[in-house]
Amino acid sequence: MKTETSTMIINPFSLGIDLETGDMPNATNHLVRRASDMKGYYLNENALEDLIKKDSDPIHYEVFELPVPEEYGHLMYCISKLYPGKIGEEYFFTKGHYHTVEQTAEIYLCLKGEGYMVMKTSEGKFEAIRMERGQMVYVPPFWAHRSINTGVEPLVSFCIYPAEAGHNYGDIKEHGFPKRIVEIENSICFI
Ligand code: S6P
Ligand code: ZN
């Protein structure tokens, strides 16, 4: 990990974020994950393939940011926007990741929509915390995290985390989380 002495000095700045929609007009980085990027993540692979064909590979979620140096001392922040829907019975979710620098935490402030943040540790702990407008979720160091949209509108969150954190997707791609969230007879169920 880099030390304080290598932290880049930059000028203060501000930017506007629409707290109703999450729009961040000055964002310069725009990460788009489409349905086809989610192959291997959902239980029902055929339902995912059907969606990719039927809706021309729709956007699954997007991340907007105006980046800062990815160094110890800086704080990265972004808007995460996860669209509503289901693959089979399973609600749309983000890939989920550990931070590469595992001892880094993250704060999610939910601005719009409803869903859950599911989290796990490599020791086998699991937590699911409800997300809704005005609710903040603290993801402690060492916890992998994935957001899941169980509502009918986009799940929008403002995220803040140490800029050197990085993303490690490998474990989640292979092992997922201990529980999935599905709709059964109009109810949200953990399986
Ligand atoms: C970054 C933070 C979010 C996610 C975003 C997309 O640490 O947790 O910005 O990157 O919600 O999720 P994922 O799992 O595809 O990176
Ligand atoms: Zn993260």
Side-chain angles (χ1 to χ4, degrees):
M1 188 195 301
K2 292 179 179 172
T3 65
E4 291 87 340
T5 53
S6 66
T7 301
M8 189 181 293
I9 295 177
I10 64 172
N11 290 330
F13 63 91
S14 71
L15 83 173
I17 297 172
D18 185 321
L19 297 181
E20 291 296 326
T21 62
D23 285 350
M24 192 194 268
N26 293 339
T28 55
N29 279 7
H30 183 202
L31 170 77
V32 175
R33 299 248 200 251
R34 294 184 177 275
S36 58
D37 295 315
M38 302 305 289
K39 288 181 182 178
Y41 281 88
Y42 289 100
L43 283 174
N44 190 333
E45 289 288 335
N46 291 336
L48 180 66
E49 290 298 336
D50 288 347
L51 175 72
I52 293 168
K53 285 195 197 108
K54 182 168 72 70
D55 290 348
S56 309
D57 198 10
I59 295 180
H60 214 62
Y61 59 97
E62 356 184 31
V63 178
F64 300 89
E65 59 187 21
L66 194 155
V68 295
E70 293 180 6
E71 295 177 339
Y72 177 88
H74 286 279
L75 294 173
M76 193 65 84
Y77 57 89
C78 65
I79 288 287
S80 169
K81 186 175 192 177
L82 169 62
Y83 289 93
K86 284 178 290 171
I87 303 294
E89 304 307 318
E90 200 170 1
Y91 292 103
F92 281 11
F93 55 64
T94 58
K95 288 184 172 184
H97 57 269
Y98 284 99
H99 289 162
T100 309
V101 181
E102 289 192 317
Q103 61 272 37
T104 53
E106 183 159 353
I107 283 174
Y108 277 71
L109 175 62
C110 182
L111 302 179
K112 185 183 177 76
E114 55 187 275
Y116 287 86
M117 180 71 70
V118 292
M119 292 164 277
K120 73 168 188 178
T121 67
S122 56
E123 285 85 33
K125 288 184 181 170
F126 174 77
E127 293 277 346
I129 292 185
R130 181 94 181 130
M131 297 177 79
E132 59 189 29
R133 179 171 168 77
Q135 201 69 23
M136 189 205 87
V137 180
Y138 184 71
V139 180
F142 305 108
W143 286 77
H145 41 288
R146 158 185 288 167
S147 37
I148 303 181
N149 188 342
T150 59
V152 294
E153 56 184 2
L155 179 65
V156 180
S157 302
F158 179 59
C159 316
I160 310 171
Y161 55 99
E164 82 278 19
H167 297 76
N168 175 2
Y169 293 98
D171 172 88
I172 306 300
K173 174 89 205 253
E174 197 175 341
H175 302 293
F177 284 80
K179 287 189 185 293
R180 293 171 178 272
I181 306 187
V182 298
E183 184 180 278
I184 300 174
E185 294 175 354
N186 295 319
S187 295
I188 296 168
C189 300
F190 288 73
I191 61 170

